[in-house]
């Protein structure tokens, strides 16, 4: 597994610790964490520190698409809290009041069949419950940075992936979150299970490095991570796709970020 250092070995405290509205918080071998609770549904989030990484894939990466290059250095200047799992049906129902999911046999499964616009409604309702925090989707750059967790290989554990490490290959269903081991920053199922919406649209990559890049706001939105219906190549850390923001499918979900609104 190829790695590059993207953040210091010692955890840097976020400007506001803990974030207002957290029901619990602490630190473990993955770093800082906090939890929010909504109607007895608990979501843990991980502190993703500012840092740099190489975004995209090299020309010789297997299953690579042209829109994954050129690779370029990206610096994220602000840290953020990121949910350690995709949003579950239980949390969605606690916030919204109902669930649109097809695979409704287990509330621990990720919510699916949600459009980007649906997710904005969820985030708005969650914002009402967390007045001192801003729930958002991660940008595409933030998502890949968190997925890689310091690695430069195609997947978080190397150049290949197995059915024991992710839910893919048209398995027939979603899996409950935390069915697979997390990456090195404590994030579960960044590969497979459900595609995850990002905040921005598809950005055309350039070779020059950049800070805090964002894709366009008009049109579609990027999805990342692959899903239970896809072949392994679609699960790679660099794989990117753009869908219309009103699409709803049984392989489409999200995970959210939290950011402080205090100075």
């Amino acid at each position: 597994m190829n790695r590059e250092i993207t953040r210091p070995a010692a955890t840097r405290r976020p400007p506001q610790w803990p974030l207002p509205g957290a029901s619990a918080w602490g630190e473990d071998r993955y770093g800082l964490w906090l939890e929010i609770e909504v109607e007895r549904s608990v979501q843990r989030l991980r502190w993703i520190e500012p840092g740099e990484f190489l975004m995209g894939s090299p020309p010789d990466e297997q299953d690579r698409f042209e829109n994954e290059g050129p690779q370029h250095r990206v610096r994220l200047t602000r840290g953020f809290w990121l949910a350690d799992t995709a949003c579950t049906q239980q949390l969605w129902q606690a916030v919204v009041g109902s669930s649109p999911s097809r695979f409704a046999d287990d509330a621990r499964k990720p919510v699916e069949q949600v459009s980007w616009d649906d997710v904005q409604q969820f985030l708005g309702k969650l914002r009402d419950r967390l007045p001192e925090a801003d729930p958002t989707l991660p940008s595409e750059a933030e998502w890949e940075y968190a997925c890689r967790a310091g690695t430069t290989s195609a997947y978080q554990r190397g150049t290949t992936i197995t059915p024991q490490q992710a839910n893919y290959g048209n398995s027939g269903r979603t899996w409950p979150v935390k069915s697979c081991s997390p990456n090195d920053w404590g994030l579960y199922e960044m590969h497979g299970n459900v595609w995850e919406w990002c905040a921005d649209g598809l950005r055309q990559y350039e070779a020059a490095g950049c800070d805090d890049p964002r894709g366009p706001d008009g049109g579609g939105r990027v999805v990342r991570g692959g899903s239970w219906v896809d072949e392994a190549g679609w699960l790679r850390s660099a794989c990117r796709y753009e869908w219309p923001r009103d699409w709803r499918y049984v392989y489409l979900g999200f995970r959210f970020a939290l950011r402080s609104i205090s100075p």
Side-chain angles (χ1 to χ4, degrees), residues 69 75 79-80 95 97 108 175 223 252-253:
R75 183 168 72 107
F80 56 99
V95 173
R108 298 171 301 165
W175 292 352
V223 291
L252 188 53

Side-chain angles (χ1 to χ4, degrees), residues 170-208:
N170 201 14
S171 67
R173 66 195 189 285
T174 55
W175 292 352
V177 300
K178 299 187 179 182
S179 292
C180 304
S181 59
N183 70 9
D184 289 346
W185 291 356
L187 304 170
Y188 293 86
E189 285 95 37
M190 296 297 283
H191 299 312
N193 218 19
V194 289
W195 285 97
E196 299 182 5
W197 285 111
C198 294
D200 43 345
L202 200 68
R203 173 175 63 94
Q204 184 173 346
Y205 290 171
E206 297 180 355

